[in-house]
Every structure is written in structure tokens, then in C-alpha cells.
Amino acid sequence: MADRGMKKWLPFSSLIEQGKYLSKMMYEKYKIDKPIILEDKEKEINDILKEYDFTNPLSLTIYFDGYIYKIIDKIHFIDKNKKLVYFTNFYIPISNILSIDDMIFTSIN
């Protein structure tokens, strides 16, 4: 009897795959092209990365896989040869950084 119950509902197992496909379709649908970075903004990003002391967190706007994200994190390493910026859990090409704001936290007494 238990086997019959499992076989009875077997056709509905395909809905799980359809859900994954629909989610992927929606993800792909809303992707955007990478914004163009002007030369002065590019120079500003370069200057901040050159002077960064690796102790203060930064607020970054990055482009990744068709989406724009805002993150606050510390940079752990900058690989100038490969042009990559390493963070705590991921890395991105320097060219994917759209803007950087220096985050200096002050305590309020």
C-alpha cells in the first residue's frame, strides 16, 4: 500500500525542477549591462585602493554577474598583477568596482 501512495504522487515531483528553472529564468531576465565608469571615477577608485591601509572597512558598489551590489567589508589583499581585490569570502576584478566610499566609524558618546 505504501508503494502505491508513492507512485500516485510521483508525477508532481517534476514541479521541483520547474521551480528551479523558473527561478533561474527570472534571475537571467533582470540582469543589466555593466555600467560605464568615467575616467575621473576610475582614477578616484585607483587612488583609494593605492592609499588603503587594510584596517578600515570600505563601502563598495560592485557589479557582479549582471547585478549591482553594495557591500561593506575590509579588503584583505590587492593583487596588482591579476588586478583582483580579495575580501573576506570572495574576490572580484578591480574593473567590477563601480564606487568606493571610505568608512570611518566614530563612536557616539
Side-chain angles (χ1 to χ4, degrees), residues 19-43:
K20 289 178 185 177
Y21 177 74
L22 289 173
S23 295
K24 184 175 180 178
M25 223 169 69
M26 293 301 288
Y27 180 81
E28 295 292 326
K29 179 181 178 180
Y30 292 110
K31 282 186 174 184
I32 61 170
D33 293 333
K34 183 179 174 189
I36 297 171
I37 302 171
L38 300 175
E39 286 182 29
D40 58 337
K41 191 68 172 174
E42 195 174 298
K43 184 181 180 322

PDB file of all heavy atoms in Angstrom, residues 19-43:
ATOM      1  N   GLY A  19      10.365  24.673 -10.794  1.00  0.00           N
ATOM      2  CA  GLY A  19      10.589  25.815  -9.908  1.00  0.00           C
ATOM      3  C   GLY A  19      12.012  26.334 -10.014  1.00  0.00           C
ATOM      4  O   GLY A  19      12.247  27.537 -10.061  1.00  0.00           O
ATOM      5  N   LYS A  20      12.980  25.414 -10.071  1.00  0.00           N
ATOM      6  CA  LYS A  20      14.380  25.816 -10.219  1.00  0.00           C
ATOM      7  C   LYS A  20      14.593  26.523 -11.556  1.00  0.00           C
ATOM      8  O   LYS A  20      15.291  27.528 -11.630  1.00  0.00           O
ATOM      9  CB  LYS A  20      15.296  24.594 -10.122  1.00  0.00           C
ATOM     10  CG  LYS A  20      15.386  24.002  -8.750  1.00  0.00           C
ATOM     11  CD  LYS A  20      16.268  22.776  -8.749  1.00  0.00           C
ATOM     12  CE  LYS A  20      16.270  22.101  -7.395  1.00  0.00           C
ATOM     13  NZ  LYS A  20      17.070  20.872  -7.407  1.00  0.00           N
ATOM     14  N   TYR A  21      13.978  25.985 -12.598  1.00  0.00           N
ATOM     15  CA  TYR A  21      14.121  26.578 -13.922  1.00  0.00           C
ATOM     16  C   TYR A  21      13.496  27.970 -13.963  1.00  0.00           C
ATOM     17  O   TYR A  21      14.079  28.907 -14.515  1.00  0.00           O
ATOM     18  CB  TYR A  21      13.476  25.677 -14.981  1.00  0.00           C
ATOM     19  CG  TYR A  21      13.539  26.262 -16.359  1.00  0.00           C
ATOM     20  CD1 TYR A  21      14.731  26.289 -17.071  1.00  0.00           C
ATOM     21  CD2 TYR A  21      12.412  26.825 -16.950  1.00  0.00           C
ATOM     22  CE1 TYR A  21      14.802  26.833 -18.336  1.00  0.00           C
ATOM     23  CE2 TYR A  21      12.468  27.382 -18.224  1.00  0.00           C
ATOM     24  CZ  TYR A  21      13.658  27.379 -18.903  1.00  0.00           C
ATOM     25  OH  TYR A  21      13.725  27.934 -20.152  1.00  0.00           O
ATOM     26  N   LEU A  22      12.312  28.128 -13.366  1.00  0.00           N
ATOM     27  CA  LEU A  22      11.647  29.433 -13.347  1.00  0.00           C
ATOM     28  C   LEU A  22      12.461  30.453 -12.553  1.00  0.00           C
ATOM     29  O   LEU A  22      12.558  31.615 -12.944  1.00  0.00           O
ATOM     30  CB  LEU A  22      10.234  29.312 -12.779  1.00  0.00           C
ATOM     31  CG  LEU A  22       9.233  28.595 -13.679  1.00  0.00           C
ATOM     32  CD1 LEU A  22       7.920  28.381 -12.945  1.00  0.00           C
ATOM     33  CD2 LEU A  22       9.007  29.379 -14.957  1.00  0.00           C
ATOM     34  N   SER A  23      13.055  30.025 -11.437  1.00  0.00           N
ATOM     35  CA  SER A  23      13.894  30.935 -10.648  1.00  0.00           C
ATOM     36  C   SER A  23      15.093  31.399 -11.459  1.00  0.00           C
ATOM     37  O   SER A  23      15.436  32.580 -11.458  1.00  0.00           O
ATOM     38  CB  SER A  23      14.387  30.238  -9.382  1.00  0.00           C
ATOM     39  OG  SER A  23      13.311  29.940  -8.545  1.00  0.00           O
ATOM     40  N   LYS A  24      15.717  30.460 -12.171  1.00  0.00           N
ATOM     41  CA  LYS A  24      16.867  30.817 -12.991  1.00  0.00           C
ATOM     42  C   LYS A  24      16.450  31.754 -14.125  1.00  0.00           C
ATOM     43  O   LYS A  24      17.167  32.701 -14.456  1.00  0.00           O
ATOM     44  CB  LYS A  24      17.515  29.566 -13.562  1.00  0.00           C
ATOM     45  CG  LYS A  24      18.776  29.843 -14.337  1.00  0.00           C
ATOM     46  CD  LYS A  24      19.473  28.607 -14.804  1.00  0.00           C
ATOM     47  CE  LYS A  24      20.723  29.018 -15.573  1.00  0.00           C
ATOM     48  NZ  LYS A  24      21.480  27.887 -16.033  1.00  0.00           N
ATOM     49  N   MET A  25      15.282  31.515 -14.699  1.00  0.00           N
ATOM     50  CA  MET A  25      14.784  32.362 -15.772  1.00  0.00           C
ATOM     51  C   MET A  25      14.559  33.795 -15.276  1.00  0.00           C
ATOM     52  O   MET A  25      14.914  34.762 -15.952  1.00  0.00           O
ATOM     53  CB  MET A  25      13.460  31.793 -16.306  1.00  0.00           C
ATOM     54  CG  MET A  25      13.352  31.796 -17.799  1.00  0.00           C
ATOM     55  SD  MET A  25      11.943  30.845 -18.385  1.00  0.00           S
ATOM     56  CE  MET A  25      10.593  31.847 -17.861  1.00  0.00           C
ATOM     57  N   MET A  26      13.977  33.936 -14.089  1.00  0.00           N
ATOM     58  CA  MET A  26      13.740  35.266 -13.524  1.00  0.00           C
ATOM     59  C   MET A  26      15.066  35.960 -13.200  1.00  0.00           C
ATOM     60  O   MET A  26      15.212  37.159 -13.402  1.00  0.00           O
ATOM     61  CB  MET A  26      12.879  35.171 -12.262  1.00  0.00           C
ATOM     62  CG  MET A  26      11.466  34.709 -12.539  1.00  0.00           C
ATOM     63  SD  MET A  26      10.581  35.788 -13.661  1.00  0.00           S
ATOM     64  CE  MET A  26      10.302  37.184 -12.621  1.00  0.00           C
ATOM     65  N   TYR A  27      16.033  35.203 -12.702  1.00  0.00           N
ATOM     66  CA  TYR A  27      17.350  35.754 -12.399  1.00  0.00           C
ATOM     67  C   TYR A  27      17.994  36.299 -13.668  1.00  0.00           C
ATOM     68  O   TYR A  27      18.541  37.406 -13.681  1.00  0.00           O
ATOM     69  CB  TYR A  27      18.222  34.663 -11.769  1.00  0.00           C
ATOM     70  CG  TYR A  27      19.609  35.117 -11.400  1.00  0.00           C
ATOM     71  CD1 TYR A  27      19.833  35.820 -10.225  1.00  0.00           C
ATOM     72  CD2 TYR A  27      20.704  34.837 -12.207  1.00  0.00           C
ATOM     73  CE1 TYR A  27      21.096  36.239  -9.871  1.00  0.00           C
ATOM     74  CE2 TYR A  27      21.973  35.242 -11.869  1.00  0.00           C
ATOM     75  CZ  TYR A  27      22.171  35.948 -10.699  1.00  0.00           C
ATOM     76  OH  TYR A  27      23.426  36.362 -10.361  1.00  0.00           O
ATOM     77  N   GLU A  28      17.936  35.544 -14.740  1.00  0.00           N
ATOM     78  CA  GLU A  28      18.517  35.963 -16.011  1.00  0.00           C
ATOM     79  C   GLU A  28      17.767  37.151 -16.620  1.00  0.00           C
ATOM     80  O   GLU A  28      18.357  38.011 -17.259  1.00  0.00           O
ATOM     81  CB  GLU A  28      18.528  34.803 -17.010  1.00  0.00           C
ATOM     82  CG  GLU A  28      19.422  33.646 -16.612  1.00  0.00           C
ATOM     83  CD  GLU A  28      20.894  33.975 -16.642  1.00  0.00           C
ATOM     84  OE1 GLU A  28      21.298  34.775 -17.508  1.00  0.00           O
ATOM     85  OE2 GLU A  28      21.635  33.451 -15.794  1.00  0.00           O
ATOM     86  N   LYS A  29      16.471  37.210 -16.407  1.00  0.00           N
ATOM     87  CA  LYS A  29      15.633  38.255 -17.008  1.00  0.00           C
ATOM     88  C   LYS A  29      16.001  39.645 -16.504  1.00  0.00           C
ATOM     89  O   LYS A  29      15.990  40.617 -17.256  1.00  0.00           O
ATOM     90  CB  LYS A  29      14.165  37.975 -16.711  1.00  0.00           C
ATOM     91  CG  LYS A  29      13.216  39.000 -17.272  1.00  0.00           C
ATOM     92  CD  LYS A  29      11.776  38.676 -16.916  1.00  0.00           C
ATOM     93  CE  LYS A  29      10.846  39.748 -17.435  1.00  0.00           C
ATOM     94  NZ  LYS A  29       9.459  39.460 -17.106  1.00  0.00           N
ATOM     95  N   TYR A  30      16.334  39.763 -15.228  1.00  0.00           N
ATOM     96  CA  TYR A  30      16.567  41.079 -14.632  1.00  0.00           C
ATOM     97  C   TYR A  30      18.026  41.506 -14.603  1.00  0.00           C
ATOM     98  O   TYR A  30      18.369  42.506 -13.978  1.00  0.00           O
ATOM     99  CB  TYR A  30      15.965  41.129 -13.225  1.00  0.00           C
ATOM    100  CG  TYR A  30      14.461  41.071 -13.266  1.00  0.00           C
ATOM    101  CD1 TYR A  30      13.772  39.950 -12.831  1.00  0.00           C
ATOM    102  CD2 TYR A  30      13.732  42.130 -13.786  1.00  0.00           C
ATOM    103  CE1 TYR A  30      12.388  39.897 -12.889  1.00  0.00           C
ATOM    104  CE2 TYR A  30      12.349  42.083 -13.845  1.00  0.00           C
ATOM    105  CZ  TYR A  30      11.693  40.964 -13.394  1.00  0.00           C
ATOM    106  OH  TYR A  30      10.320  40.914 -13.459  1.00  0.00           O
ATOM    107  N   LYS A  31      18.890  40.774 -15.284  1.00  0.00           N
ATOM    108  CA  LYS A  31      20.288  41.185 -15.358  1.00  0.00           C
ATOM    109  C   LYS A  31      20.412  42.476 -16.158  1.00  0.00           C
ATOM    110  O   LYS A  31      19.611  42.747 -17.049  1.00  0.00           O
ATOM    111  CB  LYS A  31      21.134  40.109 -16.043  1.00  0.00           C
ATOM    112  CG  LYS A  31      21.465  38.945 -15.173  1.00  0.00           C
ATOM    113  CD  LYS A  31      22.418  38.023 -15.887  1.00  0.00           C
ATOM    114  CE  LYS A  31      22.889  36.925 -14.985  1.00  0.00           C
ATOM    115  NZ  LYS A  31      23.889  36.081 -15.663  1.00  0.00           N
ATOM    116  N   ILE A  32      21.436  43.276 -15.811  1.00  0.00           N
ATOM    117  CA  ILE A  32      21.690  44.526 -16.526  1.00  0.00           C
ATOM    118  C   ILE A  32      23.109  44.502 -17.080  1.00  0.00           C
ATOM    119  O   ILE A  32      23.951  43.722 -16.638  1.00  0.00           O
ATOM    120  CB  ILE A  32      21.502  45.758 -15.605  1.00  0.00           C
ATOM    121  CG1 ILE A  32      22.479  45.714 -14.429  1.00  0.00           C
ATOM    122  CG2 ILE A  32      20.071  45.860 -15.123  1.00  0.00           C
ATOM    123  CD1 ILE A  32      22.527  46.981 -13.628  1.00  0.00           C
ATOM    124  N   ASP A  33      23.354  45.374 -18.045  1.00  0.00           N
ATOM    125  CA  ASP A  33      24.707  45.516 -18.585  1.00  0.00           C
ATOM    126  C   ASP A  33      25.568  46.270 -17.583  1.00  0.00           C
ATOM    127  O   ASP A  33      25.074  47.076 -16.797  1.00  0.00           O
ATOM    128  CB  ASP A  33      24.683  46.275 -19.905  1.00  0.00           C
ATOM    129  CG  ASP A  33      23.995  45.483 -21.011  1.00  0.00           C
ATOM    130  OD1 ASP A  33      24.012  44.242 -20.938  1.00  0.00           O
ATOM    131  OD2 ASP A  33      23.447  46.109 -21.928  1.00  0.00           O
ATOM    132  N   LYS A  34      26.860  46.029 -17.659  1.00  0.00           N
ATOM    133  CA  LYS A  34      27.789  46.712 -16.750  1.00  0.00           C
ATOM    134  C   LYS A  34      27.796  48.202 -17.063  1.00  0.00           C
ATOM    135  O   LYS A  34      27.966  48.598 -18.217  1.00  0.00           O
ATOM    136  CB  LYS A  34      29.193  46.140 -16.914  1.00  0.00           C
ATOM    137  CG  LYS A  34      30.183  46.736 -15.964  1.00  0.00           C
ATOM    138  CD  LYS A  34      31.543  46.111 -16.150  1.00  0.00           C
ATOM    139  CE  LYS A  34      32.542  46.839 -15.282  1.00  0.00           C
ATOM    140  NZ  LYS A  34      33.894  46.412 -15.576  1.00  0.00           N
ATOM    141  N   PRO A  35      27.616  49.034 -16.027  1.00  0.00           N
ATOM    142  CA  PRO A  35      27.665  50.490 -16.251  1.00  0.00           C
ATOM    143  C   PRO A  35      29.063  50.935 -16.674  1.00  0.00           C
ATOM    144  O   PRO A  35      30.069  50.341 -16.293  1.00  0.00           O
ATOM    145  CB  PRO A  35      27.316  51.082 -14.879  1.00  0.00           C
ATOM    146  CG  PRO A  35      26.717  49.980 -14.101  1.00  0.00           C
ATOM    147  CD  PRO A  35      27.269  48.705 -14.656  1.00  0.00           C
ATOM    148  N   ILE A  36      29.101  51.988 -17.456  1.00  0.00           N
ATOM    149  CA  ILE A  36      30.374  52.548 -17.906  1.00  0.00           C
ATOM    150  C   ILE A  36      30.917  53.449 -16.804  1.00  0.00           C
ATOM    151  O   ILE A  36      30.210  54.313 -16.287  1.00  0.00           O
ATOM    152  CB  ILE A  36      30.187  53.336 -19.213  1.00  0.00           C
ATOM    153  CG1 ILE A  36      29.707  52.399 -20.324  1.00  0.00           C
ATOM    154  CG2 ILE A  36      31.486  54.022 -19.612  1.00  0.00           C
ATOM    155  CD1 ILE A  36      29.286  53.107 -21.580  1.00  0.00           C
ATOM    156  N   ILE A  37      32.179  53.245 -16.466  1.00  0.00           N
ATOM    157  CA  ILE A  37      32.827  54.053 -15.429  1.00  0.00           C
ATOM    158  C   ILE A  37      33.620  55.155 -16.116  1.00  0.00           C
ATOM    159  O   ILE A  37      34.454  54.885 -16.981  1.00  0.00           O
ATOM    160  CB  ILE A  37      33.748  53.193 -14.550  1.00  0.00           C
ATOM    161  CG1 ILE A  37      32.954  52.060 -13.899  1.00  0.00           C
ATOM    162  CG2 ILE A  37      34.420  54.035 -13.479  1.00  0.00           C
ATOM    163  CD1 ILE A  37      33.816  51.044 -13.192  1.00  0.00           C
ATOM    164  N   LEU A  38      33.361  56.387 -15.719  1.00  0.00           N
ATOM    165  CA  LEU A  38      34.082  57.515 -16.292  1.00  0.00           C
ATOM    166  C   LEU A  38      35.518  57.544 -15.788  1.00  0.00           C
ATOM    167  O   LEU A  38      35.828  57.000 -14.723  1.00  0.00           O
ATOM    168  CB  LEU A  38      33.367  58.816 -15.952  1.00  0.00           C
ATOM    169  CG  LEU A  38      31.924  58.931 -16.450  1.00  0.00           C
ATOM    170  CD1 LEU A  38      31.296  60.209 -15.947  1.00  0.00           C
ATOM    171  CD2 LEU A  38      31.890  58.878 -17.972  1.00  0.00           C
ATOM    172  N   GLU A  39      36.383  58.192 -16.534  1.00  0.00           N
ATOM    173  CA  GLU A  39      37.816  58.218 -16.207  1.00  0.00           C
ATOM    174  C   GLU A  39      38.089  58.825 -14.841  1.00  0.00           C
ATOM    175  O   GLU A  39      38.941  58.332 -14.099  1.00  0.00           O
ATOM    176  CB  GLU A  39      38.588  58.972 -17.281  1.00  0.00           C
ATOM    177  CG  GLU A  39      38.737  58.211 -18.570  1.00  0.00           C
ATOM    178  CD  GLU A  39      39.558  58.969 -19.599  1.00  0.00           C
ATOM    179  OE1 GLU A  39      40.436  59.761 -19.198  1.00  0.00           O
ATOM    180  OE2 GLU A  39      39.305  58.768 -20.797  1.00  0.00           O
ATOM    181  N   ASP A  40      37.386  59.898 -14.489  1.00  0.00           N
ATOM    182  CA  ASP A  40      37.638  60.533 -13.192  1.00  0.00           C
ATOM    183  C   ASP A  40      37.216  59.609 -12.040  1.00  0.00           C
ATOM    184  O   ASP A  40      37.875  59.551 -11.006  1.00  0.00           O
ATOM    185  CB  ASP A  40      36.954  61.893 -13.095  1.00  0.00           C
ATOM    186  CG  ASP A  40      35.454  61.831 -13.293  1.00  0.00           C
ATOM    187  OD1 ASP A  40      34.971  60.863 -13.911  1.00  0.00           O
ATOM    188  OD2 ASP A  40      34.755  62.759 -12.831  1.00  0.00           O
ATOM    189  N   LYS A  41      36.135  58.853 -12.216  1.00  0.00           N
ATOM    190  CA  LYS A  41      35.701  57.907 -11.195  1.00  0.00           C
ATOM    191  C   LYS A  41      36.687  56.745 -11.093  1.00  0.00           C
ATOM    192  O   LYS A  41      37.002  56.271 -10.003  1.00  0.00           O
ATOM    193  CB  LYS A  41      34.293  57.395 -11.532  1.00  0.00           C
ATOM    194  CG  LYS A  41      33.643  56.629 -10.430  1.00  0.00           C
ATOM    195  CD  LYS A  41      33.332  57.562  -9.292  1.00  0.00           C
ATOM    196  CE  LYS A  41      32.508  56.866  -8.255  1.00  0.00           C
ATOM    197  NZ  LYS A  41      32.302  57.697  -7.072  1.00  0.00           N
ATOM    198  N   GLU A  42      37.206  56.322 -12.232  1.00  0.00           N
ATOM    199  CA  GLU A  42      38.201  55.258 -12.270  1.00  0.00           C
ATOM    200  C   GLU A  42      39.476  55.679 -11.546  1.00  0.00           C
ATOM    201  O   GLU A  42      40.059  54.904 -10.786  1.00  0.00           O
ATOM    202  CB  GLU A  42      38.503  54.921 -13.729  1.00  0.00           C
ATOM    203  CG  GLU A  42      39.237  53.633 -13.948  1.00  0.00           C
ATOM    204  CD  GLU A  42      39.359  53.314 -15.424  1.00  0.00           C
ATOM    205  OE1 GLU A  42      38.320  53.147 -16.080  1.00  0.00           O
ATOM    206  OE2 GLU A  42      40.509  53.246 -15.911  1.00  0.00           O
ATOM    207  N   LYS A  43      39.886  56.922 -11.751  1.00  0.00           N
ATOM    208  CA  LYS A  43      41.073  57.454 -11.082  1.00  0.00           C
ATOM    209  C   LYS A  43      40.842  57.541  -9.570  1.00  0.00           C
ATOM    210  O   LYS A  43      41.717  57.200  -8.777  1.00  0.00           O
ATOM    211  CB  LYS A  43      41.422  58.829 -11.643  1.00  0.00           C
ATOM    212  CG  LYS A  43      42.699  59.414 -11.079  1.00  0.00           C
ATOM    213  CD  LYS A  43      42.972  60.774 -11.663  1.00  0.00           C
ATOM    214  CE  LYS A  43      44.233  61.418 -11.158  1.00  0.00           C
ATOM    215  NZ  LYS A  43      44.565  61.246  -9.778  1.00  0.00           N
TER     216      LYS A  43
END
